[in-house]
Amino acid sequence: MVTLKILSVSFNYNGIKALENVTFNVKAGEVVSIIGPNGAGKTTLLKCIAKLLKPKHGTILIDNRNLDLFKRVELAKLIGYVPQLEETRFPLTVFEWILLGRKPYMRMKPSKKDLAVVENVIEELKMKHLAFRKVNELSGGEWRKTIIARALAQEPKILLLDEPTNHLDLKHQVEVLKLIRELASKKKLCVIIATHDVNLALRFSDKIIVLNEGKIVFCGNVKLLKREVLEKAYDVKIEMLHDTNGCPIVVPKIEA
C-alpha cells in the first residue's frame, strides 16, 4: 500500500511565494481535501505532487522514495491527475478518451485487460449511455466525468483531483465524491482533492488541510476544524453547525 509524504515543500512563481514549508502525509485509503481562498496554493500543490512543477525547496516521497527518482512511465501508473481545466477535446468517443488512461500499460494495441478496466470504470461512473458519444458533443458535466474516468482507468495508487465537481450538478457531485470515497477505501488509494466547496470537502474527507497564502493553517481530522480557522482563512464570518454524525456544516453569516 502506497504512502505519500510532503515534506517542507515551497514553491515560487517569479519570486512570489505560492507555497511555504508545506508538510503533511497521506495514508493508503485516506481522502484528504485541501480548501482555502483563491490563490492559496491549492492547484500549485497538486501540480508539485504530480511532478508538473518542481518545488524550490522540500521533498515529496512515495513509499519513502523521492519523487525525482521516478520515471514518467512509473508515475503514470502511480498517479492519476485530474486538472481543474482541460479544454482540449479531440474528436474521440468517451470510451476512446477513457482508454487513453491505459496508455502507460499498452504496447501496440489495448489488451483485454485494458478494455475491461475501461468498461468497469464506465460502469462505476454510470456512463454507459455516453460511451460512444463524441467528447466534443458532451456537456460540461459529462466532460468532467469523462476526465475523472480517464484518471481512474490508470488504476493509480495516488489520485489528485483539482475541483473535481466543477460543472457537475448536485446529484452528480455527490455521486462522484461518494464513488471516490468508496474507491479510496476499497482499493487503498491516497486521494487528495483541491476544492472550493467547503461543505462537500467536510462531508467526504478523512482529513482537511486549510491553505492560506501558501501556508498550512490547519491539518487534521474534519471534526477538529474550528470556526475561527475558516473565518481567518476566508476573511468572512461564518456559522458552523453539525449534522447527526458530528460532521461540520459551514454557513456564511450574511449581515442584514
Side-chain angles (χ1 to χ4, degrees), residues 83-249:
Q84 186 176 149
L85 295 171
E86 184 165 339
E87 294 302 328
T88 303
R89 302 195 201 185
F90 300 108
L92 302 175
T93 66
V94 168
F95 190 99
E96 290 168 332
W97 192 273
I98 297 171
L99 186 60
L100 292 175
R102 300 299 300 167
K103 189 177 178 181
Y105 302 92
M106 287 193 287
R107 295 183 183 275
M108 296 298 291
K109 62 180 183 179
S111 66
K112 289 183 179 179
K113 181 181 178 181
D114 295 324
L115 298 174
V117 168
V118 173
E119 288 171 0
N120 186 55
V121 169
I122 286 173
E123 181 75 32
E124 287 179 320
L125 282 170
K126 300 177 182 176
M127 297 175 65
K128 289 179 73 173
H129 64 294
L130 298 174
F132 298 105
R133 290 261 307 275
K134 296 289 188 181
V135 295
N136 55 353
E137 299 171 355
L138 301 179
S139 70
E142 290 166 343
W143 174 232
R144 195 68 183 153
K145 287 182 76 173
T146 301
I147 298 169
I148 293 170
R150 185 187 62 190
L152 292 174
Q154 290 174 236
E155 295 187 298
K157 297 299 182 184
I158 298 168
L159 186 58
L160 308 175
L161 302 157
D162 196 354
E163 300 292 351
T165 56
N166 267 1
H167 305 296
L168 298 180
D169 60 34
L170 187 57
K171 175 185 174 182
H172 291 100
Q173 287 176 15
V174 172
E175 184 181 276
V176 166
L177 291 177
K178 185 178 179 183
L179 174 63
I180 290 167
R181 168 73 273 172
E182 290 170 352
L183 289 174
S185 179
K186 178 182 175 182
K187 298 186 178 183
K188 301 302 178 186
L189 308 182
C190 297
V191 178
I192 305 178
I193 300 171
T195 180
H196 281 103
D197 198 316
V198 176
N199 285 315
L200 283 177
L202 293 172
R203 174 64 182 82
F204 288 99
S205 307
D206 299 299
K207 187 160 68 181
I208 288 287
I209 292 172
V210 182
L211 271 184
N212 192 23
E213 296 181 344
K215 300 176 184 177
I216 291 180
V217 294
F218 176 85
C219 178
N221 187 284
V222 168
K223 295 180 181 180
L224 299 179
L225 181 60
K226 301 296 185 185
R227 173 179 56 81
E228 293 81 7
V229 173
L230 292 177
E231 287 186 333
K232 186 173 181 180
Y234 287 95
D235 191 26
V236 65
K237 293 293 182 183
I238 64 168
E239 293 182 59
M240 187 174 278
L241 312 174
H242 292 83
D243 65 16
T244 54
N245 295 316
C247 180
I249 300 170

